[in-house]
Amino acid sequence: MKTKLAFLTAASLLAAPAFAEIQINGFANLIGGMTLDDDEAVYDYDSDFTFDPASVFGLQVRGDVSDKLSATAQLVGRGSDDYDASFEWAYMTYVVNNNVSISAGRIRLPLFKYSASLDVGYSYHWLTPPDSVYGIAFNNIDGVRLDYSTYSGDWEYGAQFTVGRVQADTFISGTPAELELENVVAVSFEATRDWFSARTLFARATTTAVNEDFDTFVAGMGQFGAFIPSATAAAEGFSVNEDSGTFFEIAIDIDKYDWFIGAEFTKTEVDDAIIASDEAWYVTAGMRFGKFTPHITYEVEEADNGDQVALVAGLPSMIDTGDAVTDATWSAIYQAATGIAADQAQDTSAVTLGLRYDVEPGFAVKAGVTWYSDDLIDVNDATLLRVGANYTF
């Protein structure tokens, strides 16, 4: 019922008297998987076979208000959210001319090469894009995006300028938090010629992450500034409150049809916050034999927690104020701070072997096995087997 009501709402939004045409497109990614050992878990999969973590179903409705103005809404139900349908896109687009268009509303934030088609699994060879790069907490933004495209000789060029605000659920040291990105500014550029394409993006935002328990912990640390001068600075360093964050991406692809190779690299930094600087990348390659596409991907994610560890290193592990409760409270705060700082480090990699079979246009079945390795915590190593089908209409 919830999905039906949401779809009727989308249709009513587009049903203006002046519309020329309504287009309805849909997609489905039915992906099931499991780890091969009872004590393994990765990417929200464990040893019990499930379709929930990566399965997605969606409908996109587009209506022309005039020759230059259109409205688009995308309704998506995810297995990770119990398939509760919600509007992930809802925006208007005005075509200025053949080269320039402006979109406003809730739109896709073009952080990655496959951002525009991220939910449409049929558009790429993987079951899901590499988690090291694409596994972020948000993909949409409430704002405005300007798209520009042109060509010169054999080259095609595209650029996007996006501004707005993001709200999403995230985690701080494994604890749920509300992420707010304000004053987001993102600029991307892409160039394509025949079988070669390259893309890059730079974005910045004012970053805040709100979690009541974590905020209480930070405030408690700051209150010890009267006894420990460095505690005030450490508390400011642990908080994520209107800190400057930046994101950089670059991608290169060579596609000769019979074979292809591609790579993408991202770097994320949040200044003066508990969030460690993160670098992630992947290299992927494959070959096409008729309807079959075997492929391999190697991905890496590393997070440097040196700044966070340095904050704790400047703090005493114990104090002697003459009050046993105060001293014990500080000891607990110090131990928690040490654990949180250590948790920010990451050094993981994964190798995925996969196979895609195109049954017919708009319908593909896929299978893949991923060997995941955590170089910091060996117990997190896992082998993941997944199968799935992608469908578009």
Side-chain angles (χ1 to χ4, degrees):
M1 177 61 71
K2 183 181 295 185
T3 301
K4 182 177 180 180
L5 291 174
F7 177 75
L8 292 174
T9 303
S12 67
L13 287 172
L14 298 173
F19 77 85
E21 181 183 3
I22 289 182
Q23 300 174 355
I24 299 177
N25 299 305
F27 57 88
N29 306 323
L30 184 62
I31 301 172
M34 61 184 292
T35 58
L36 299 188
D37 288 332
D38 292 340
D39 58 348
E40 293 181 348
V42 65
Y43 304 152
D44 294 326
Y45 292 93
D46 56 26
S47 58
D48 294 324
F49 188 86
T50 178
F51 287 100
D52 291 344
S55 293
V56 179
F57 297 86
L59 285 174
Q60 185 179 110
V61 185
R62 182 182 182 276
D64 295 325
V65 180
S66 68
D67 290 341
K68 289 183 172 291
L69 185 64
S70 64
T72 302
Q74 182 161 292
L75 187 67
V76 177
R78 301 182 182 277
S80 57
D81 295 326
D82 295 325
Y83 300 100
D84 289 338
S86 63
F87 284 111
E88 295 201 356
W89 295 357
Y91 62 89
M92 305 286 288
T93 298
Y94 181 77
V95 178
V96 179
N97 54 45
N98 291 335
N99 304 105
V100 179
S101 65
I102 300 174
S103 300
R106 176 158 293 179
I107 55 181
R108 179 56 52 92
L109 183 58
L111 293 175
F112 310 106
K113 176 177 176 60
Y114 292 98
S115 283
S117 61
L118 185 59
D119 293 326
V120 185
Y122 182 79
S123 66
Y124 41 77
H125 56 285
W126 305 291
L127 278 159
T128 58
D131 191 81
S132 58
V133 170
Y134 284 80
I136 64 173
F138 59 91
N139 283 295
N140 303 312
I141 184 171
D142 295 327
V144 178
R145 188 183 70 222
L146 184 149
D147 292 81
Y148 173 79
S149 61
T150 188
Y151 64 90
S152 178
D154 295 331
W155 287 92
E156 296 180 13
Y157 300 100
Q160 294 178 311
F161 177 76
T162 309
V163 296
R165 181 171 182 265
V166 172
Q167 288 184 296
D169 295 328
T170 188
F171 290 88
I172 299 178
S173 192
T175 303
E178 297 177 5
L179 177 68
E180 295 181 2
L181 304 178
E182 297 181 322
N183 305 316
V184 177
V185 178
V187 180
S188 66
F189 177 78
E190 185 169 4
T192 302
R193 179 177 178 175
D194 193 15
W195 45 263
F196 174 81
S197 67
R199 180 187 190 275
T200 189
L201 172 137
F202 178 79
R204 67 159 305 279
T206 301
T207 306
T208 300
V210 179
N211 172 274
E212 185 175 347
D213 292 338
F214 185 76
D215 292 343
T216 299
F217 162 76
V218 171
M221 179 186 292
Q223 290 177 356
F224 277 83
F227 306 104
I228 309 167
S230 57
T232 302
E236 293 176 355
F238 267 70
S239 68
V240 188
N241 184 25
E242 297 186 349
D243 296 311
S244 178
T246 58
F247 180 88
F248 172 76
E249 180 260 7
I250 187 169
I252 297 175
D253 278 278
I254 296 172
D255 192 334
K256 301 288 283 187
Y257 187 75
D258 290 336
W259 61 271
F260 60 88
I261 184 170
E264 194 164 8
F265 169 86
T266 63
K267 183 172 183 177
T268 306
E269 293 183 316
V270 181
D271 296 337
D272 303 320
I274 189 58
I275 302 173
S277 298
D278 181 280
E279 292 185 358
W281 57 270
Y282 70 81
V283 176
T284 187
M287 301 185 71
R288 297 186 178 97
F289 301 96
K291 294 185 176 183
F292 291 92
T293 305
H295 55 88
I296 184 171
T297 301
Y298 178 67
E299 58 184 290
V300 171
E301 183 173 10
E302 297 175 333
D304 182 4
N305 67 338
D307 291 342
Q308 291 71 31
V309 172
L311 287 173
V312 179
L315 300 172
S317 59
M318 296 181 294
I319 58 175
D320 185 6
T321 64
D323 183 90
V325 174
T326 299
D327 296 347
T329 300
W330 171 254
S331 180
I333 289 175
Y334 177 84
Q335 294 300 323
T338 300
I340 293 171
D343 284 345
Q344 302 310 303
Q346 186 170 355
D347 188 356
T348 62
S349 62
V351 176
T352 298
L353 289 177
L355 179 66
R356 169 179 176 148
Y357 176 73
D358 287 275
V359 180
E360 60 185 51
F363 178 41
V365 294
K366 303 174 183 177
V369 58
T370 298
W371 293 272
Y372 177 87
S373 177
D374 188 332
D375 290 341
L376 299 180
I377 308 175
D378 291 341
V379 72
N380 289 340
D381 293 355
T383 301
L384 173 64
L385 177 64
R386 292 188 293 179
V387 294
N390 300 134
Y391 178 72
T392 63
F393 65 87

